[in-house]
Amino acid sequence: MNAQQSSTLNQTTTSTSGYSDLSDAERRLSNEVKEFADTVVAPAAYEYDTKRELPYDIIKTMGEMGLFGLPFPVEYGGQGKDYFSLCLAVEQLGRVDQSIGVTLEAGVGLGAMPIFRSGTEAQKQEWLPMLARGQALAGFGLTEADAGSDAAGTKTTAELVNGEWVINGTKQFITNSGTEITKLVTITAVTGESTRADGSIKKELTAILVPSRTPGFVVEPSYDKVGWHTSDTHPLTLTDVRVPEANLLGERGRGFANFIQTLDEGRVAFAALCTGAAQGCLEESIRYANSRNVFGRNIGSNQHIAFKIARMQARVHAARLAYYDAARKLVAGRPFKMEASLAKLIGSEAAMDNARDATQIFGGYGFMNENPVARHYRDSKILEIGEGTTEVQLMIISRELGFDTL
């Protein structure tokens, strides 16, 4: 690799830290997390992926760094920064290990953020400090066998009996629900029904906090997943689970609105994770193209390889600009629903496309699990599914454009 190629690679691998529209504090944070990702997370990624274990030592360090508390006020144990700062951290982690990136993204966006947005002061004081310090994790129990994209299909029920919610049902694909440090899961449940004017049934959907040690709350065995092997994901069974009436999160019957807000915000951080994955594939491809020699020259000197990498760079750039735009609007309190879906759509496709191209560039080496691009290839498909499928994002975007789509 010559000096010019080395300089180019260095500029590319700076990722978000090289963007002029970041403040000094944002750039420092991005660089700090990047160094941690490169020196601590990346070297351990293959080992934990093979073991299919969540690395609690790494999660503990992330907690000590304040990453789980980035968007929360200091009075709740947070860092007093904002959601954009969280996105920068998620991107840098996602470059080297999507499982660690999604553990942070889901732990904050799906676990702690609903309590911060909708919880009572007592609920915030009880739960947020331990979640913000990374001493505990929380999950968000929305998805069921017949309910995910269509929340109206929710079958889990919660009945108020003598001052307690009695919950029965099942949930699936719940991230951070069964770790050693999981303390609670927010469950969405049907708490009543009403009849619309047209005779159809409208379900009253409510969010309820369920501590993970509650009797009847069963964490089923973890899934045998294609990717994200280090991330914790379980189905849940709730049988006559009883929690106090005060565990209601937000207003009764407002569970649908609450989870829509949670998903809209979560998609912005998820898009940052997608961008990180796409960036990681780009970095690995540049490095390999400059070091792999075939027929007496490096493969990057072949136009079809160089052009493939150029397209990878274009995808990363577009994905990053998209999530930056959505995150800035979120933080400013401006409407961001369509921007969040655009960012998630663009980012997830960038990650999947870059993973495919990176694997092709590496050839046989790209098919070996110890290679980061192989793990990105396995991991990236879920990015087009999780937190709203590609089809759901297209539906949201088309509706925001004024089309009445199903």
Side-chain angles (χ1 to χ4, degrees):
M1 186 186 307
N2 60 38
Q4 181 179 357
Q5 290 169 331
S6 177
S7 174
T8 299
L9 177 59
N10 183 64
Q11 291 173 13
T12 301
T13 57
T14 56
S15 184
T16 57
S17 59
Y19 274 62
S20 60
D21 58 344
L22 295 183
S23 68
D24 289 342
E26 290 166 344
R27 190 172 293 106
R28 284 194 300 270
L29 170 66
S30 181
N31 287 335
E32 178 186 1
V33 180
K34 180 180 186 301
E35 181 179 4
F36 171 73
D38 289 339
T39 60
V40 177
V41 179
Y46 176 55
E47 175 187 356
Y48 285 110
D49 181 86
T50 302
K51 292 180 177 179
R52 301 193 176 207
E53 294 178 357
L54 183 67
Y56 292 102
D57 54 339
I58 291 177
I59 299 302
K60 179 181 179 181
T61 302
M62 289 164 58
E64 293 169 347
M65 292 171 65
L67 300 187
F68 287 93
L70 283 170
F72 303 118
V74 175
E75 57 263 36
Y76 298 126
Q79 298 298 304
K81 298 186 184 296
D82 57 25
Y83 206 87
F84 183 63
S85 297
L86 170 67
C87 291
L88 293 176
V90 168
E91 180 189 345
Q92 292 293 8
L93 293 171
R95 285 186 312 111
V96 300
D97 191 336
Q98 290 186 40
S99 290
I100 297 300
V102 79
T103 298
L104 174 62
E105 184 271 332
V108 177
L110 299 180
M113 192 59 72
I115 299 173
F116 178 63
R117 295 295 190 202
S118 304
T120 64
E121 185 61 28
Q123 289 169 343
K124 293 176 185 179
Q125 292 291 347
E126 179 179 3
W127 296 109
L128 284 182
M130 68 176 79
L131 296 173
R133 296 186 180 110
Q135 298 166 341
L137 289 173
F140 188 70
L142 167 67
T143 305
E144 299 180 9
D146 297 315
S149 301
D150 179 15
T154 299
K155 294 181 179 178
T156 296
T157 61
E159 183 181 3
L160 194 57
V161 179
N162 297 326
E164 290 183 318
W165 293 107
V166 181
I167 308 171
N168 286 279
T170 60
K171 297 291 180 178
Q172 61 183 20
F173 310 142
I174 311 304
T175 304
N176 293 341
S177 58
T179 75
E180 294 177 5
I181 57 175
T182 298
K183 296 298 183 183
L184 80 156
V185 177
T186 299
I187 297 293
T188 53
V190 178
T191 52
E193 294 182 348
S194 60
T195 303
R196 297 187 180 95
D198 62 1
S200 61
I201 300 299
K202 178 182 179 181
K203 294 182 178 179
E204 178 186 79
L205 202 63
T206 300
I208 301 171
L209 301 176
V210 180
S212 57
R213 301 294 189 269
T214 304
F217 180 93
V218 177
V219 179
E220 304 292 353
S222 60
Y223 295 99
D224 182 12
K225 297 177 293 186
V226 171
W228 280 8
H229 289 162
T230 301
S231 171
D232 176 87
T233 319
H234 296 264
L236 305 173
T237 301
L238 300 95
T239 306
D240 290 333
V241 171
R242 294 176 177 268
V243 299
E245 183 178 359
N247 280 31
L248 172 73
L249 182 64
E251 298 178 27
R252 177 170 178 167
R254 292 284 297 170
F256 184 83
N258 290 345
F259 95 74
I260 286 294
Q261 180 183 24
T262 296
L263 291 181
D264 284 345
E265 291 186 353
R267 283 174 186 139
V268 180
F270 202 83
L273 174 67
C274 297
T275 303
Q279 174 74 33
C281 291
L282 171 65
E283 293 175 8
E284 290 295 322
S285 296
I286 293 173
R287 178 188 61 77
Y288 189 71
N290 282 322
S291 62
R292 171 65 168 164
N293 289 312
V294 177
F295 302 121
R297 60 181 186 176
N298 66 58
I299 62 173
S301 63
N302 295 311
Q303 190 179 79
H304 68 281
I305 297 292
F307 281 11
K308 192 182 293 288
I309 294 175
R311 287 191 180 278
M312 294 171 71
Q313 170 63 39
R315 295 182 193 122
V316 170
H317 186 73
R320 185 172 292 121
L321 291 178
Y323 99 71
Y324 271 30
D325 180 48
R328 294 294 195 194
K329 288 179 179 176
L330 187 165
V331 171
R334 297 164 58 194
F336 68 96
K337 177 182 281 290
M338 182 163 72
E339 287 78 4
S341 286
L342 286 168
K344 202 274 184 181
L345 174 68
I346 294 167
S348 61
E349 292 184 346
M352 191 69 245
D353 289 345
N354 276 16
R356 183 193 62 243
D357 285 351
T359 302
Q360 190 69 25
I361 289 169
F362 271 80
Y365 292 113
F367 204 61
M368 303 298 113
N369 278 328
E370 63 266 25
N371 191 321
V373 303
R375 297 196 296 276
H376 276 306
Y377 187 76
R378 286 190 285 104
D379 291 347
S380 291
K381 184 56 196 174
I382 192 60
L383 298 175
E384 296 183 311
I385 299 171
E387 297 210 26
T389 63
T390 295
E391 292 73 21
V392 166
Q393 305 318 310
L394 292 170
M395 179 183 68
I396 292 171
I397 294 165
S398 63
R399 285 179 177 177
E400 289 294 303
L401 292 173
F403 296 100
D404 185 16
T405 57
L406 293 177

